[in-house]
């Protein structure tokens, strides 16, 4: 049964002991017999957990919800049921798999659980629902960032979870691209360039910024990770942008010389530098620091519109 559901046997025993979600019968000897209805209840519990419910709430839902008969008699769980691994969704699971999300909201907990389960379809579904309900800024600040911080803390502690971080980043990137409309008639006459400084490959935060600006009718040109300096200079010369945003995640890449090397154009170019990489370094004039997503979008919009 544990192999079929993709959870730890200890988690099954915990769900049975605490919430009554266990086998309805026993065979002779020590074997526990799960009926089709028992399996269906456990699948419902998995879905509720993946959507951010606590274990107690998920169990209450699974026990109260009506269970269709045909689905419960199949030899395998339904295709759309989340596949969870290692019991990371219950208090009885091994602590090493849990993400410490503190006071994060239910959406963040659901995304964290789906990411740890390497269930990209569930992650994308939850992110899409969050963007639709709360917007890009709230999804980034209240859902994505807490989960990414928890994954970074787990990696720093144990060295594990790189695959989870990579999967989450790809899902977030996809969600933000889907939330970015095509701006055919931008409010700004000159574009905004979004790029990472040379050698910086962590470009994920530029995607929600591009999404928010596009939703406000601001036209952007996004160049992504590790843009070489000569390519950045060429892009500034060719597009004569109203603003340039340079992202640096790591301090070793936050080179003030990149700002100094930007070509002078006939019209003023507002230069913004963002990311934790700039926190400890000197930000050369005339560039301006931007921090959180909402403030960054506001500053760029004011500068170009």
């Amino acid at each position: 049964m544990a192999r079929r559901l993709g959870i730890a046997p200890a988690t099954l025993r915990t769900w049975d002991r605490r919430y009554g979600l266990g086998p309805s019968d026993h065979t002779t000897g020590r074997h526990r017999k799960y009926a089709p209805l028992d399996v269906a209840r456990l699948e419902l519990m998995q879905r509720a957990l993946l959507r951010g419910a606590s274990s107690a709430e998920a169990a209450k839902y699974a026990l109260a919800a009506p269970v269709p008969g045909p689905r419960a008699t199949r030899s395998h769980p339904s295709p759309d049921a989340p596949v969870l691994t290692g019991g990371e969704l219950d208090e009885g699971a091994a602590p090493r798999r849990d993400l410490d999300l503190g006071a994060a909201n239910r959406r963040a907990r659901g995304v964290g659980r789906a990411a740890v389960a390497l269930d990209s379809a569930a992650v994308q579904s939850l992110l899409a629902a969050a963007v639709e309900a709360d917007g890009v800024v709230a999804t980034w600040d209240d859902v994505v960032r807490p989960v990414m911080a928890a994954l970074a803390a787990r990696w720093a502690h144990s060295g594990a979870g790189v695959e989870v971080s990579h999967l989450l980043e790809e899902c977030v990137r996809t969600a933000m691209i889907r939330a970015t409309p095509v701006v055919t008639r931008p409010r700004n006459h000159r574009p905004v360039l979004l790029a990472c400084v040379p050698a910086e490959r962590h470009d994920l935060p530029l995607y929600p910024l591009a999404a928010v600006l596009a939703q406000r009718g601001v036209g952007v040109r996004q160049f992504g990770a590790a843009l070489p300096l000569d390519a950045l200079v060429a892009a500034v010369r060719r597009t004569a942008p109203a603003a340039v945003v340079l992202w640096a995640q790591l301090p070793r890449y936050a080179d003030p010389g990149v700002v100094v090397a930007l070509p002078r154009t006939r019209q003023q170019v507002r230069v913004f530098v963002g990311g934790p990489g700039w926190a400890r370094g000197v930000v050369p004039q005339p560039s301006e620091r931007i921090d959180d997503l909402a403030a960054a979008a506001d500053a760029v919009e004011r500068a170009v519109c």
Side-chain angles (χ1 to χ4, degrees):
M1 190 64 220
R3 285 194 299 270
R4 173 171 171 170
L5 291 176
I7 61 177
T11 301
L12 279 177
R13 290 191 289 271
T14 298
W15 290 356
D16 185 12
R17 184 179 66 254
R18 294 184 182 177
Y19 312 119
L21 280 166
S24 56
D25 194 10
H26 284 69
T27 61
T28 56
R30 301 177 60 185
H31 293 91
R32 293 143 53 89
K33 186 176 180 180
Y34 288 83
L37 180 62
D38 302 329
V39 178
R41 297 288 186 203
L42 291 170
E43 290 182 5
L44 289 174
M45 176 131 183
Q46 284 183 325
R47 291 180 190 167
L49 285 166
L50 201 57
R51 283 165 171 76
S54 67
S55 295
E57 292 167 335
K60 182 178 180 180
Y61 164 74
L63 290 169
V67 180
R71 290 171 63 92
T73 58
R74 288 199 295 245
S75 59
H76 297 285
S78 61
D80 57 345
V83 179
L84 310 178
T85 59
E88 63 270 18
L89 299 187
D90 189 80
E91 294 92 330
R96 63 185 179 86
R97 289 183 178 269
D98 293 340
L99 288 181
D100 183 8
L101 286 168
N105 61 32
R106 288 187 178 184
R107 293 189 190 276
R109 295 200 303 270
V111 168
R113 288 162 177 160
V116 170
L118 299 181
D119 189 341
S120 57
V123 174
Q124 291 187 29
S125 176
L126 292 167
L127 289 174
V131 169
E132 182 177 358
D134 304 321
V136 170
V137 173
T139 300
W140 177 257
D141 288 340
D142 301 334
V143 179
V144 175
R145 290 185 63 190
V147 177
M148 293 183 67
L151 286 170
R154 192 174 75 164
W155 177 83
H157 176 72
S158 65
V162 174
E163 73 285 359
V164 180
S165 296
H166 280 232
L167 179 138
L168 176 61
E169 288 190 11
E170 290 304 313
C171 290
V172 172
R173 187 175 284 106
T174 299
M176 294 304 164
I177 291 174
R178 287 175 177 169
T180 306
V182 177
V183 182
T184 57
R185 296 183 178 180
R187 295 165 54 202
N188 49 318
H189 300 294
R190 298 156 57 209
V192 175
L193 304 190
L194 307 181
C196 288
V197 295
E200 176 59 74
R201 305 199 64 83
H202 188 84
D203 67 335
L204 186 63
L206 293 178
Y207 284 83
L209 179 57
V212 174
L213 291 174
Q215 289 175 358
R216 297 181 183 183
V218 177
V220 303
R221 306 287 187 272
Q222 189 170 351
F223 294 92
L227 184 66
L229 182 57
D230 57 348
L232 175 62
V233 169
V236 171
R237 284 176 175 160
R238 291 180 60 185
T239 62
V244 176
V245 177
L246 298 174
W247 182 267
Q249 185 75 15
L250 299 177
R252 65 175 177 268
Y253 299 140
D255 181 8
V258 176
V259 177
V260 176
L262 293 180
R264 301 293 181 264
T265 59
R266 291 183 179 180
Q267 295 176 293
Q268 180 186 12
V269 178
R270 297 281 293 275
V271 180
F272 298 92
V273 295
W278 296 101
R280 299 179 183 177
V282 176
V283 178
Q285 296 295 329
S287 60
E288 308 167 44
R289 277 273 313 182
I290 52 176
D291 295 308
D292 63 276
L293 175 58
D298 290 344
V300 173
E301 183 182 17
R302 285 194 302 266
V304 303
C305 295

